[in-house]
Amino acid sequence: MENKLRALFNDQLERRECFGGAAAVIKDKEVVFNETFGDVTFNENSLYRLASVTKIFTAAAVMKLYGEGKLDINANVSAYLPDYKRLSLGDIAPNGMVYSTLKPQREITLFDLLTHTAGLGADTLGNREYSVMPTEEKVNLSRVCDFYAKNFHLAFEPGSRAAYSGFAGFDVLAHIVEITSGLNFNDYLQKEIFAPLGMTDTTFQPTDEQYARLVPMHQRVRGEDKEIDFKGLVFRGMPRSYEAGGASLVSSMSDMLKFCKMLLSDGGGVLSPKLISLMTAPALPDGLDGLARGENNGLGCFVISGQHRLPKGTVYSHGAYGTHLLLDIKRGFAAIFLKNSYFDMSLNSRSTLMFEDAVM
């Protein structure tokens, strides 16, 4: 395994697919590999933009409140945000405008959002609506969720299929955490999850010192490697006040290992083993339209449920900048790959597939 991971590191640098990164593996609940690659910028204190790996943390926050009886994941979203009762189905006109069609047969639930089956901010329609959302509306979770309720449409009947919601679904979940807890989302995560686990470098609001430890974002422009200037932002195009529940956490490898150890153990006083099992088990009917072959959706993550290149029972979370997380709760296994690049960063990228091959 170690040799394959180091070969991945060399491959990434030789192909100029990132400036550097890190990988770590937990086996039988013990860290058996933890190394960085690249120049001195990449070290044990480096921070990375997690992108969509943020979603598993948002799901953990929802599950904690669910376990405490403070919210119901099977409830309608409108129980917490009444305007969501009025959502309608939509379609795209030839001129690119989205218009309302019918009222859905039922309202969307928190479970739908957790499993990407709500149709909110999903599919071609949802991506279109988010892409034309005015920048001035992307201020904070309250503002964006109010905008979604008044302007977005559902791409399909809730629960009828699965389609990834990059932003809207998990923004709504994060805002419901705020409403339920009385804290803003970052403060809730810090108090209830990060501080108890000793995760001192995971945040939506990095200090100046933490921001200085964020690794450079890589891009290749006309054959030349370039560092993308985020101009003080965490996720490109989003002000720090917008704590996007699906996209904009930063973290370190040390903190990611602490979170994984929590999921692999008794929950570290954060989540009960029962809640962890619920979160990481297949949640949808196998074969539901939209599910990838051999895969199912958990709550804020994805689960291997059939024939696949990964073993059955493996849980994964992937981020747009190339971050990747694998878990196998029953076998006490976790693997984390961290890099920040606009190049070779998709779920089926070279780095992701080489990483999975190395650790599996």
Side-chain angles (χ1 to χ4, degrees):
M1 177 191 70
E2 291 87 349
N3 288 339
K4 281 196 170 186
L5 285 170
R6 293 177 188 128
L8 163 62
F9 296 165
N10 291 334
D11 179 84
Q12 285 285 284
L13 295 176
E14 288 174 3
R15 290 175 175 269
R16 295 158 47 220
E17 293 179 344
C18 64
F19 291 125
V25 178
I26 297 172
K27 186 178 181 182
D28 298 325
K29 301 180 183 180
E30 296 295 328
V31 179
V32 297
F33 184 91
N34 185 7
E35 294 186 10
T36 61
F37 66 100
D39 63 22
V40 294
T41 306
F42 298 86
N43 55 62
E44 62 183 10
N45 296 314
S46 297
L47 302 187
Y48 297 81
R49 294 169 166 88
L50 294 184
S52 282
V53 175
T54 299
K55 291 178 174 67
I56 199 168
F57 292 95
T58 298
V62 172
M63 296 308 290
K64 180 170 177 60
L65 289 167
Y66 173 64
E68 294 168 349
K70 296 177 180 177
L71 59 71
D72 182 1
I73 62 172
N74 296 305
N76 291 335
V77 170
S78 66
Y80 305 92
L81 293 164
D83 284 348
Y84 280 74
K85 193 177 186 70
R86 297 195 290 269
L87 288 175
S88 64
L89 297 166
D91 204 347
I92 305 176
N95 65 0
M97 298 297 292
V98 177
Y99 63 94
S100 297
T101 56
L102 304 171
K103 292 293 293 182
Q105 295 177 16
R106 66 167 176 83
E107 294 184 41
I108 61 171
T109 66
L110 277 70
F111 178 86
D112 295 328
L113 297 177
L114 286 164
T115 57
H116 297 279
T117 55
L120 180 70
D123 235 336
T124 304
L125 182 143
N127 292 333
R128 166 66 181 170
E129 291 190 312
Y130 194 84
S131 71
V132 298
M133 182 175 172
T135 302
E136 59 268 23
E137 297 293 342
K138 298 176 182 179
V139 175
N140 53 42
L141 287 170
S142 177
R143 181 89 167 258
V144 297
C145 290
D146 183 61
F147 186 87
Y148 298 152
K150 294 175 180 176
N151 297 277
F152 274 34
H153 301 77
L154 303 181
F156 47 81
E157 287 283 353
S160 66
R161 65 185 306 265
Y164 190 71
S165 177
F167 297 99
F170 280 73
D171 281 345
V172 173
L173 289 167
H175 189 39
I176 289 173
V177 169
E178 292 184 323
I179 292 166
T180 305
S181 68
L183 299 170
N184 76 30
F185 192 44
N186 189 62
D187 288 347
Y188 178 83
L189 289 175
Q190 297 298 332
K191 178 182 177 183
E192 300 294 338
I193 296 179
F194 300 153
L197 296 178
M199 296 172 62
T200 57
D201 276 328
T202 307
T203 181
F204 287 104
Q205 303 293 344
T207 63
D208 290 345
E209 186 274 335
Q210 288 172 319
Y211 199 87
R213 288 190 280 126
L214 269 172
V215 300
M217 180 62 69
H218 170 268
Q219 174 62 299
R220 192 180 299 170
V221 181
R222 292 186 291 277
E224 293 187 14
D225 296 317
K226 299 287 186 181
E227 178 180 347
I228 302 298
D229 184 359
F230 268 56
K231 302 184 185 302
L233 305 181
V234 174
F235 196 91
R236 196 175 188 187
M238 294 182 179
R240 291 203 203 182
S241 59
Y242 176 13
E243 297 169 352
S248 54
L249 274 178
V250 303
S251 189
S252 65
M253 180 61 81
S254 174
D255 278 11
M256 291 298 294
L257 287 168
K258 291 171 184 176
F259 184 72
C260 288
K261 285 183 175 181
M262 178 274 287
L263 293 175
L264 295 176
S265 64
D266 60 2
V270 173
L271 294 176
S272 70
K274 183 177 180 181
L275 289 173
I276 294 170
S277 294
L278 179 60
M279 183 175 161
T280 57
L284 303 174
D286 280 330
L288 181 71
D289 184 32
L291 291 176
R293 183 178 180 182
E295 297 186 13
N296 203 303
N297 292 356
L299 308 182
C301 56
F302 301 92
V303 188
I304 308 307
S305 58
Q307 187 173 358
H308 197 275
R309 67 176 183 273
L310 298 175
K312 189 174 181 178
T314 305
V315 173
Y316 75 83
S317 178
H318 184 82
Y321 299 146
T323 51
H324 197 58
L325 168 66
L326 297 172
L327 291 163
D328 189 323
I329 307 295
K330 291 183 179 179
R331 295 181 179 88
F333 163 82
I336 307 155
F337 183 64
L338 299 177
K339 75 171 189 177
N340 277 176
S341 177
Y342 275 100
F343 193 85
D344 183 61
M345 53 82 170
S346 72
L347 178 59
N348 294 309
S349 65
R350 285 178 47 79
S351 58
T352 300
L353 297 177
M354 287 184 70
F355 175 67
E356 291 178 346
D357 176 63
V359 300
M360 289 299 178

